[in-house]
Structure formats: structure tokens, C-alpha cells
Amino acid sequence: MSKEEIIIITEDFVKHNLKNYDSGHDWWHIERVRRLATLINEKEAHVDPFTLEIAVLLHDTADSKFAGNDIEQGYAMIIEFMERNGMSDIKDQVIEVIRNASFSKKNPSGNLNDPLLLVLQDADKLDAIGAIGVARAFNYGGFRNNPIFIPEEDTDGKSKSTIGHFYDKLLKLKDMMHTKTAKDIAEERHRFLEKFLEQFYKEWETKF
Ligand code: ADP
Ligand code: NI
């Protein structure tokens, strides 16, 4: 199988396994992360483009399909898929990277400085900020039936409101970027988050 064919098969596998209701990780998130990761990689990282594309495509599959259940089942499914479709040589690296990629990952292990991991993490985080990040946050909050804002809520990392999630996570992402390219993109997207919040509070208080 050629690399192009493997990519097409992997795209189909991912589309099939991302659950429709999981609005945080739909196919378009994967597409955006792929474009961002490719951009970062071309500008500065230079990891193998094929391995990067496969890692991006697969990075949310286990989480999405097995959310709330046994995520190990998700990894086992991905390993089996990679072995069956000519990716045995990159399987170990890709699995380690996607295990470590998630922001919420509590027990990272292995090579945390693998450039493949750093590029994927940067691209994934960039898609959580800026206008897209705002849209995704309110989409997720709506799906969970969370309030948009709770005045005087403690933003202690466990906010119930979507505005609270900005303080728990989104406003911190800019300083967690690894690559220069992602840092530059994050600056603009972070400023947009601040601008959004400023306008939000202004309207909340009925100021003109
Ligand atoms: P990761 O892919 O890093 O594990 P998550 O799965 O936590 O990220 O989040 C996926 C998307 O859902 C992101 O855009 C994130 O901002 C959004 N999201 C996650 N938790 C919340 C929340 N409590 N309120 C609003 N948006 C959320
Ligand atoms: Ni993702």
C-alpha cells in the first residue's frame, strides 16, 4: 500500500469512529489540526510528514469512541488497525504520542520531548483558542447543558459554566505552546479570547 492509500484508509477509519455527538472532536477538528500541524512542521519541526499526518488523524479516536468507558479498548483498536494496514513500523511511536497528547492527560510517560508530540500538542491546543476555540467551547457547553456564565463562580479548574472554562483552560494554553510558530499564532488567538471576554462582560452589565 502506498502512503497516500494508507492516509485515505486512515481518514475513513477516523470518520467512522468519531462519534457524531462528540462535538468537541468532530472530523473538522481533525482537519484543522492537520493543517495547523503541517504548517508548524514545514516551518520549523521537520518530523516525518507521513507519521505526523497519521498521528493527527488518530489522536482523538480512542477518546471519542470510548469516552467514559475503557479507553484502553480504544488504543487496542488503533494498534490492530495500524498493524493490519501497513503501519507497524510507526505504530509504537504514534501510540505513545497520542497517549501523551491530551491536555487532560494525567500520567504522561515515555519521550515527552518527541517533536512529533510537541507539534501535535501545539496544533491541538491552537484549535481550542481564537474564534474557533470560542465556538467549540460554547458548542460543548450547550451539549452538556452548562450555563454560559455564572457570576461570582470560582474558577478553580472545575467550573460549571463555559465562561469559567476560559479561565480553567483556554486562557492558559498560549503559555503552553512549544514551537515558535504556534506561539505566534497563539498570541493573536489569545488576544481574541480576551477581546471576547471584555465584550461579553460589557454586554452582561448592559454597558454601551
Ligand atoms: P483535549 O482534546 O485536549 O482532551 P478536551 O477533550 O478537554 O480537549 O476538549 C475538547 C473541546 O471541548 C475543546 O475545544 C475544549 O475547550 C472544549 N471543552 C472541554 N471541556 C469544556 C467545558 N467544561 N466547557 C466548555 N468547553 C469545554
Ligand atoms: Ni484534538
Side-chain angles (χ1 to χ4, degrees):
M1 238 185 307
S2 71
K3 288 183 175 173
E4 287 73 24
E5 284 168 326
I6 294 177
I7 285 170
I8 290 167
I9 286 174
T10 306
E11 287 172 347
D12 288 345
F13 173 79
V14 170
K15 283 178 188 165
H16 181 77
N17 283 298
L18 288 173
K19 284 195 173 165
N20 291 331
Y21 68 74
D22 181 3
S23 53
H25 298 116
D26 67 1
W27 169 254
W28 295 107
H29 164 67
I30 306 292
E31 277 285 17
R32 291 188 302 265
V33 174
R34 169 152 68 174
R35 286 198 289 271
L36 286 162
T38 303
L39 181 90
I40 295 166
N41 195 38
E42 282 170 359
K43 275 199 185 277
E44 66 183 283
H46 315 303
V47 304
D48 173 51
F50 172 70
T51 311
L52 178 62
E53 208 168 339
I54 295 296
V56 169
L57 285 170
L58 293 170
H59 85 274
D60 281 327
T61 300
D63 271 321
S64 175
K65 193 167 172 75
F66 292 95
N69 300 312
D70 183 5
I71 196 174
E72 286 307 317
Q73 260 183 285
Y75 293 123
M77 180 185 75
I78 294 171
I79 290 168
E80 195 270 328
F81 169 78
M82 293 184 82
E83 283 170 348
R84 195 156 35 83
N85 290 287
M87 288 175 272
S88 294
D89 53 334
I90 59 168
K91 178 192 68 185
D92 290 348
Q93 187 190 12
V94 168
I95 292 292
E96 182 174 295
V97 161
I98 63 179
R99 276 181 184 278
N100 286 329
S102 170
F103 170 85
S104 43
K105 181 82 193 167
K106 293 196 177 54
N107 302 306
S109 63
N111 181 7
L112 300 183
N113 295 314
D114 184 342
L116 182 67
L117 174 64
L118 305 185
V119 174
L120 172 60
Q121 275 183 322
D122 279 6
D124 201 23
K125 288 192 175 79
L126 283 174
D127 201 52
I129 56 178
I132 297 273
V134 172
R136 289 179 77 206
F138 284 99
N139 191 45
Y140 179 99
F143 171 64
R144 296 266 168 217
N145 209 16
N146 292 341
I148 56 174
F149 179 48
I150 305 175
E152 275 116 54
E153 180 179 42
D154 269 342
T155 50
D156 53 1
K158 295 187 212 67
S159 303
K160 293 192 173 59
S161 75
T162 301
I163 292 291
H165 180 67
F166 281 57
Y167 298 93
D168 287 350
K169 176 171 172 179
L170 306 187
L171 291 166
K172 295 176 180 167
L173 295 178
K174 166 178 78 74
D175 294 326
M176 296 170 67
M177 299 295 165
H178 306 288
T179 64
K180 166 88 171 64
T181 310
K183 283 178 189 163
D184 290 347
I185 301 171
E187 282 297 330
E188 188 196 8
R189 294 186 182 201
H190 184 87
R191 274 199 301 278
F192 183 84
L193 293 181
E194 291 179 332
K195 190 96 194 92
F196 175 85
L197 288 171
E198 194 187 308
Q199 179 75 16
F200 184 93
Y201 296 129
K202 194 173 157 195
E203 293 177 18
W204 191 270
E205 286 155 22
T206 328
K207 288 186 179 152
F208 300 98

